[in-house]
Amino acid sequence: MAYQALVPVCLLFCFITLTFANNNLNNVLFNGDYEFIDLTYPFDNKTIYWPNAKDFEFTKKVEYFQQDGSWYAANDFAAGEHGGTHIDAPYHFSASGQYVGQIPLDKLIVPLIIADLSSKVNDDPNFVLYKHHLDYILNDNLGKPCLIVFKFGWSKFAMNKKKYLGLSNDGLNFPGISAEVAEWITTSYKNIVGIGVDVASADPGSNRDFPVHKIMSRAGLYIIENVYFERQIPEYGCTAFVMPMKIALGTGAPLRLVAICPKQSPEHF
Ligand SMILES: [Zn+2]
């Protein structure tokens, strides 16, 4: 090949190399414009579990300084699938649905939309979310696959299990989603792959028929429960990392839920 012919080849190679370098995700994530926001409760003896589930059991096994002065520690834990911040796999309410271990990553790393309803809920445990509450989202064409998390403003009650679950002789009582909204989510072609709530169930606490769980599961969507809103988070523009423990045959699993968001200027807080 003539020398002159090599020049464009080299230029092309340089262009490809530079383009890949600029598109490197690390260059975007760590340039100072983004922050990581944890939406997960810690797992400990205060973690709230669904009433018939096994609480988080943490057993200190060994911890000691070895003869050479180095430290060694290891523990055991055991827990139900459905407690704390966790995912419900479609198999939870659909016999043909996916187990936790089968949910593909492209449904777990997705754009995140927060529907902040806390001012509408106004701490009312009887609040049920209907479509008319979501007009501002209905008018928005979401486009890409996404996770939508409904914020009822319930995280502030998490230190008080009785209040958080609305425990009484009649059972449970806390805000939730109507079947109408669940139908909209699964039939509106808005590419919603999963939903989340900052309460213990997607269905209202007092509803024993679990219509939202059934509709979501049958449509192949997952549900995230007990999302922890410790601080303000943008409603749009974040990416969700939904990372459940990969329990192969799980109907649900403990979840580490993280959002990567554009850094907000201080006046937003
Ligand atoms: Zn669950």
Side-chain angles (χ1 to χ4, degrees):
M1 193 182 285
Y3 162 75
Q4 288 86 343
L6 279 174
V7 174
V9 174
C10 286
L11 284 175
L12 181 66
F13 179 74
C14 290
F15 173 76
I16 290 170
T17 310
L18 279 173
T19 306
F20 271 100
N22 288 334
N23 285 342
N24 186 328
L25 185 58
N26 291 330
N27 294 342
V28 178
L29 286 184
F30 303 108
N31 68 1
D33 291 340
Y34 293 86
E35 60 182 330
F36 305 142
I37 299 177
D38 200 339
L39 300 169
T40 316
Y41 288 105
F43 285 88
D44 58 25
N45 58 6
K46 294 189 206 70
T47 308
I48 296 174
Y49 275 75
W50 196 248
N52 56 5
K54 183 184 183 67
D55 283 342
F56 187 75
E57 263 181 30
F58 184 75
T59 312
K60 285 211 163 199
K61 287 274 288 243
V62 285
E63 51 178 55
Y64 61 94
F65 286 103
Q66 302 179 89
Q67 279 186 341
D68 65 359
S70 61
W71 175 254
Y72 177 76
N75 305 309
D76 287 340
F77 70 87
E81 293 168 328
H82 300 274
T85 307
H86 72 280
I87 195 167
D88 286 356
Y91 187 73
H92 192 28
F93 274 82
S94 167
S96 57
Q98 289 174 316
Y99 298 116
V100 174
Q102 294 176 312
I103 302 173
L105 284 173
D106 59 7
K107 287 191 174 179
L108 298 173
I109 303 172
V110 285
L112 170 65
I113 292 168
I114 308 286
D116 187 353
L117 302 148
S118 40
S119 62
K120 291 190 171 79
V121 177
N122 200 20
D123 298 348
D124 177 8
N126 298 307
F127 179 90
V128 178
L129 180 70
Y130 289 98
K131 230 165 81 172
H132 69 87
H133 295 115
L134 295 171
D135 284 344
Y136 69 104
I137 289 177
L138 285 168
N139 293 334
D140 197 80
N141 183 13
L142 306 176
K144 299 188 190 83
C146 68
L147 164 67
I148 183 163
V149 175
F150 299 101
K151 180 181 174 184
F152 295 115
W154 228 243
S155 296
K156 61 179 177 285
F157 301 128
M159 294 311 286
N160 181 342
K161 182 175 178 177
K162 197 162 176 254
K163 171 87 178 163
Y164 185 81
L165 293 177
L167 279 171
S168 72
N169 292 336
D170 297 334
L172 308 177
N173 194 28
F174 51 79
I177 299 168
S178 64
E180 177 190 78
V181 167
E183 293 284 3
W184 164 69
I185 285 170
T186 54
T187 58
S188 63
Y189 303 103
K190 288 189 183 290
N191 275 330
I192 298 171
V193 296
I195 62 163
V197 288
D198 62 346
V199 285
S201 172
D203 285 284
S206 56
N207 191 318
R208 311 281 172 84
D209 296 327
F210 302 105
V212 174
H213 278 80
K214 291 172 184 168
I215 293 164
M216 292 290 157
S217 288
R218 281 189 210 126
L221 277 70
Y222 59 81
I223 299 173
I224 298 170
E225 290 160 337
N226 300 316
V227 173
Y228 181 29
F229 288 108
E230 187 183 17
R231 47 159 287 187
Q232 205 54 255
I233 172 170
E235 291 193 70
Y236 293 93
C238 299
T239 304
F241 281 69
V242 182
M243 295 288 115
M245 183 190 288
K246 196 173 177 180
I247 302 178
L249 301 181
T251 71
L255 167 69
R256 189 69 184 263
L257 178 62
V258 174
I260 299 182
C261 304
K263 258 188 194 157
Q264 297 214 284
S265 47
E267 62 266 27
H268 282 91
F269 295 99

